[in-house]
Amino acid sequence: MSSLFVGLMSITWQQIVMIGIGAILIYLAIAKEYEPSLLLPIGFGAILANIPLSAAITHGQEKGVLNVFFDAGILTEIFPLLIFVAVGAMIDFSPLLKKPYLLLFGAAAQFGIFFTMMVATLFGFSLKEAASIGIIGAADGPTSIYVATKFAKELLGPISVAAYSYMALVPIIQPPVIRALTTKSERRIRMEGHAKSVSKTMLICFPIVITIFAGIIAPSSAALIGFLMFGNLIRECGVLNKLSLSAQNELASLVTILLGITIACTMTAERFLQPQTLIIIALGLVAFIFDTAGGVLFAKFLNLFLKKKMNPMIGAAGISAFPMSARVIHNMGQAEDQFNFLLMHAVSANVAGQIGSVVAGGLILALVGSMF
Amino acid sequence: MFTQQVFDTFWNALVVTGQGMSGIFVFMGLFYVAIKVMDKIFPYKAEDEKKD
């Protein structure tokens, strides 16, 4: 009879706290709709991983299914790369191809990644751990997971939770930072709306050319960019509509479910309930704030040399959180001037941010990897 | 708190930051050039839209 209560008898307060954290993540996913497709599986997985003696995770020689998925899908990088195929199939690069100069904002708005990496080293994290924490600022879950898997898999749980939580909180994080760095008159600057169209051939060539360029310059980024661009090629080629729809829907859904619940196997009480988890979550916020600041300040810097000034808020859309960031910028522009339509420019910068975050991930892998 | 090891790691992070931010701008600059070249080679024609 006592064997029926063995689980109850062996539960620890740390496990109860983790089950509570899992429940909070599920609440945020359902009630607040904060990245529900990821936070709900992560929350449920956290509960599953913290049930005393749970068969879902590995105990000694007995393999748990979550760890089997983790070893097969995350340590091998298969899940994040498959997500990249799905994301690539979802992205329409044409707004960016119409206004390619906005690529610069996709670069500037990655500043938070590197700034946060430097700050993290001051908290005693190793360079690899600091790089994995900084990459939360990529505002791109799969890139964060990919880099953390390579450099600091023991931190994968808090890094994933922070990355997806802050992506959902972009509408709350960005506006105060933008307001602090811009004047009312700058936020009212209107931007030229007209842009020429791009040819179908160019849309097809773009993912191929970018993959070759990026792969040759930084081979360590080849998998990240290659899978993203492969997904995009499926979308744009025009002869694989069925595959494109499958990548956007079935593949994305299946891998998202597995990715979320699998990451949770790193959220066991003894690994997650550490002071460093709170530091990582705080540093994730720093990364998002400095991404936004980097983009806005770079736009202001460019305005020093431009005759026709651009709205510096567009710089903040250079982060990868698509399309939330573009919507935030457009809404802020409309709040200042109801006839100010920034959406097209913001979307272009936002798409540039999606490329920028992946490039940043590849560069981090190459640069930090070369130091060891 | 700021031991020599922390300082060394911070210094390495500073180097990665310099190289990383420069690298991203170089990449984006190359992508910009690639887009401009492709736009010259494959310009948009209104007939393309009609075919689609």
Side-chain angles (χ1 to χ4, degrees):
Chain A
M1 188 68 184
S2 63
S3 64
L4 284 177
F5 298 102
V6 68
L8 189 64
M9 300 306 284
S10 56
I11 195 164
T12 63
W13 69 265
Q14 290 94 337
Q15 286 170 322
I16 294 170
V17 170
M18 284 308 298
I19 289 170
I21 289 173
I24 290 169
L25 292 177
I26 292 171
Y27 168 78
L28 292 175
I30 296 171
K32 302 285 180 185
E33 293 192 29
Y34 289 171
E35 290 288 327
S37 57
L38 254 304
L39 287 191
L40 190 141
I42 291 176
F44 191 80
I47 292 174
L48 205 51
N50 286 285
I51 290 172
L53 310 173
S54 168
I57 59 168
T58 297
H59 296 282
Q61 295 296 314
E62 249 178 76
K63 281 270 184 191
V65 68
L66 289 182
N67 293 86
V68 171
F69 279 142
F70 188 84
D71 293 346
I74 293 185
L75 286 187
T76 57
E77 301 157 18
I78 288 172
F79 288 168
L81 290 176
L82 286 177
I83 285 279
F84 272 115
V85 175
V87 172
M90 291 176 201
I91 301 178
D92 176 10
F93 281 120
S94 57
L96 176 65
L97 298 179
K98 290 173 186 172
K99 301 183 186 72
Y101 66 94
L102 290 169
L103 274 166
L104 291 173
F105 296 120
Q110 308 306 321
F111 176 67
I113 295 175
F114 295 97
F115 179 82
T116 306
M117 177 178 67
M118 290 193 294
V119 175
T121 62
L122 297 177
F123 282 93
F125 288 102
S126 71
L127 188 58
K128 284 186 170 180
E129 289 170 341
S132 304
I133 294 166
I135 206 76
I136 293 171
D140 173 355
T143 303
S144 303
I145 292 166
Y146 189 83
V147 173
T149 303
K150 291 246 182 192
F151 283 166
K153 45 183 179 290
E154 67 285 356
L155 302 181
L156 195 55
I159 286 173
S160 309
V161 170
Y164 284 106
S165 303
Y166 291 134
M167 274 164 61
L169 292 173
V170 158
I172 295 168
I173 297 169
Q174 284 203 309
V177 181
I178 295 169
R179 273 190 221 106
L181 295 172
T182 54
T183 62
K184 197 173 177 65
S185 62
E186 283 175 325
R187 294 196 293 273
R188 292 171 70 99
I189 294 174
R190 293 184 186 180
M191 292 186 69
E192 186 67 46
H194 180 72
K196 62 177 186 169
S197 298
V198 292
S199 69
K200 184 80 188 159
T201 315
M202 188 166 159
L203 284 170
I204 294 170
C205 290
F206 180 72
I208 302 169
V209 170
I210 296 299
T211 303
I212 294 170
F213 268 40
I216 289 173
I217 299 169
S220 54
S221 70
L224 275 173
I225 293 183
F227 274 70
L228 183 79
M229 293 299 166
F230 171 61
N232 190 250
L233 183 60
I234 291 174
R235 172 198 174 95
E236 299 296 351
C237 70
V239 294
L240 294 174
N241 288 341
K242 207 170 154 188
L243 291 194
S244 172
L245 289 174
S246 298
Q248 291 177 47
N249 299 302
E250 289 85 354
L251 180 67
S253 303
L254 277 172
V255 183
T256 301
I257 290 170
L258 289 173
L259 189 69
I261 201 160
T262 305
I263 285 168
C265 82
T266 64
M267 291 175 66
T268 51
E270 66 274 16
R271 288 167 82 173
F272 197 86
L273 290 183
Q274 301 286 338
Q276 65 179 20
T277 299
L278 289 176
I279 298 173
I280 291 168
I281 289 175
L283 287 173
L285 181 60
V286 171
F288 271 68
I289 289 171
F290 279 83
D291 277 345
T292 306
V296 172
L297 293 175
F298 183 70
K300 288 177 71 128
F301 174 72
L302 289 183
N303 275 346
L304 295 175
F305 308 99
L306 295 173
K307 275 187 189 162
K308 191 167 172 48
K309 307 291 181 205
M310 66 172 70
N311 191 314
M313 291 197 297
I314 296 294
I319 68 167
S320 179
F322 182 87
M324 287 92 79
S325 186
R327 269 195 224 130
V328 167
I329 305 309
H330 177 69
N331 290 340
M332 286 185 75
Q334 294 249 296
E336 300 292 347
D337 170 4
Q338 59 171 324
F339 298 108
N340 196 1
F341 297 98
L342 298 173
L343 190 61
M344 280 310 291
H345 289 82
V347 165
S348 302
N350 216 175
V351 173
Q354 292 188 295
I355 298 180
S357 66
V358 179
V359 170
L363 283 169
I364 291 254
L365 288 174
L367 294 170
V368 175
S370 70
M371 290 194 165
F372 294 91
Chain B
M1 182 187 170
F2 294 109
T3 60
Q4 185 62 37
Q5 193 188 356
V6 169
F7 181 77
D8 290 344
T9 313
F10 176 78
W11 178 253
N12 287 336
L14 194 62
V15 171
V16 171
T17 297
Q19 293 175 341
M21 282 309 291
S22 316
I24 295 177
F25 276 101
V26 168
F27 263 95
M28 292 309 206
L30 282 171
F31 294 167
Y32 175 83
V33 173
I35 292 169
K36 284 290 180 188
V37 170
M38 281 192 285
D39 197 33
K40 288 271 182 241
I41 301 171
F42 309 114
Y44 174 77
K45 291 176 193 139
E47 302 92 74
D48 292 347
E49 204 169 18
K50 283 177 194 161
K51 275 184 210 165
D52 293 340

